[in-house]
Amino acid sequence: MAGEELLFIEDDDSGRELGLFNLRKAGYAVDGARDGAEGLRRFDPERHAVVITDVRMPNVGGLEVLREIRARSPETPVLVITAYGDVDLAVAAMKAGAFDFIGKPFHREHLLLTVAKALERGRMRAELLSLQRQVAGVERAIVGRSPAMARVLDLADRVARAAAPVLVTGESGTGKELIARRIHARSSRGAAPFVAVNCAAIPAELLESELFGHVRGAFSGALRDRPGRFRQADGGTLFLDEVAELPPPLQAKLLRALQERVIDVVGSDVPVPVDVRVIAATNRDPGDLRGDLLYRLRVVEIELPPLRDRVDDIPQLVRHFVARFAAGRDVEIPEDVLADMSSRPWPGNVRELENACERAVILCAGDVLRTQDLPPRTTAAPAVAGGGDEWLPALPEDGLSLVDLEKRVIERVLALKRGNITQAAAYLRVPRHVLSYRMEKYGLRRGG
């Protein structure tokens, strides 16, 4: 829902000042307008929770204001002020969608009561809409009431009311897409598409077509037109996960799309306008992005805390995941199991904890979880000998290949984790699909 500010439109100076005085004295933030035209110019659905307008005004009358606001923001309650003798106007206003009407000259108590009812109706409709979106699968539950998560959720909800790009940062498995979905669902775009793209999971040579689309014949294999993810998200939100994986040329094209609100379709010379809000995410240093794109994406940055910084949330998360995977079974979680899980480092964050809960429910012999149902605690790999710093090998004077080093590290971790890609990805603190892509790139198998 919009903010709690009111918009009061009244062409009579004394009536307007009296209304503003009474509303502000009652604690409301109120924006005043001298006539219908000014009121429509000032109206902001992201800011104004209720509009109060006189009916009889020169040029742009109250009924016209009502119809225009209903067209622009159907969820915003509109109260109309009518003289006590204007019964026909009051009826016409109610038929046109007014929430209620207030007699003129109005009584302070009646004004405040009607505004309070309108605000409450707006809150209830916003809550209902949020539940509907959760049921539809756009917004998903975010578990956690620690101070760190409370700050994140508060910032996400405030950002949702704006239209600016958002950059969500944090380690792998902290829930960046959940935050993006929450922002979308609670924004004015919530009923429009939410389209998610994992930039690290798509080969670089296909990314441009994936994002911006192509026309038939643009390249070998382009047998038909493809709209691309930007156009699929038109009117809604495009979530670019692992945005730092975009090659530099595509970063430049993304910047153009953000600044000009047009995209260049592969194989076409005609720019296509798009209306898309971009939410980007990365588990890497955002400084890996080109500077001008980073400034554009980082209008607001939301940094998600790792699970080790929100240990208080672990018991609640465990209960949530166990209940989900138990599928109706009443599985008890003893305190010693919760204590064990709360004491672990969880380098893969919430995603790793979720996988551990699924494993525990599967292995649970009865209806009580045991510590032996949990994944074994991993020990750190031994340091590499030869003058290295901690685990890093000594650097040869004639240089080394970073590609070979990455390949060797992945081979060793796969061997350490006995070919378990999920555990290897958690150990390396990268998403599973990123590790799978690297394995395919280097021709590595589960056995190392």
Side-chain angles (χ1 to χ4, degrees), residues 100-139:
D100 206 342
F101 66 93
I102 304 167
K104 185 179 183 179
F106 51 79
H107 297 291
R108 178 178 181 276
E109 291 75 13
H110 183 212
L111 171 66
L112 299 181
L113 178 62
T114 308
V115 167
K117 285 167 55 181
L119 284 169
E120 181 61 24
R121 201 278 293 267
R123 294 188 196 104
M124 291 176 63
R125 293 190 67 169
E127 290 174 7
L128 177 60
L129 186 60
S130 176
L131 289 173
Q132 289 173 338
R133 287 167 180 162
Q134 286 189 40
V135 171
V138 176
E139 184 176 0

Side-chain angles (χ1 to χ4, degrees), residues 26-198:
Y28 294 111
V30 195
D31 199 5
R34 290 182 172 82
D35 54 41
E38 182 184 355
L40 290 177
R41 285 196 305 271
R42 285 179 175 269
F43 175 64
D44 180 357
E46 300 291 342
R47 193 170 94 242
H48 295 123
V50 174
V51 175
I52 309 164
T53 180
D54 193 7
V55 170
R56 293 192 180 276
M57 295 184 292
N59 301 320
V60 180
L63 290 181
E64 187 177 345
V65 169
L66 169 62
R67 294 189 186 99
E68 177 66 21
I69 287 175
R70 292 279 298 166
R72 288 162 57 182
S73 179
E75 304 301 320
T76 303
V78 180
L79 307 176
V80 297
I81 304 171
T82 63
Y84 279 105
D86 285 340
V87 177
D88 292 341
L89 268 177
V91 171
M94 297 299 288
K95 286 182 177 179
F99 174 75
D100 206 342
F101 66 93
I102 304 167
K104 185 179 183 179
F106 51 79
H107 297 291
R108 178 178 181 276
E109 291 75 13
H110 183 212
L111 171 66
L112 299 181
L113 178 62
T114 308
V115 167
K117 285 167 55 181
L119 284 169
E120 181 61 24
R121 201 278 293 267
R123 294 188 196 104
M124 291 176 63
R125 293 190 67 169
E127 290 174 7
L128 177 60
L129 186 60
S130 176
L131 289 173
Q132 289 173 338
R133 287 167 180 162
Q134 286 189 40
V135 171
V138 176
E139 184 176 0
R140 296 171 186 170
I142 297 178
V143 179
R145 298 180 181 177
S146 63
M149 279 307 295
R151 288 191 293 271
V152 165
L153 297 180
D154 176 67
L155 180 56
D157 290 347
R158 284 188 284 133
V159 167
R161 302 169 190 162
V166 179
L167 181 63
V168 187
T169 58
E171 295 177 9
S172 176
T174 48
K176 295 184 286 293
E177 183 171 341
L178 293 181
I179 291 296
R181 287 178 173 274
R182 183 185 181 102
I183 293 171
H184 168 77
R186 300 183 179 216
S187 73
S188 59
R189 298 173 179 265
F194 176 88
V195 177
V197 180
N198 193 311

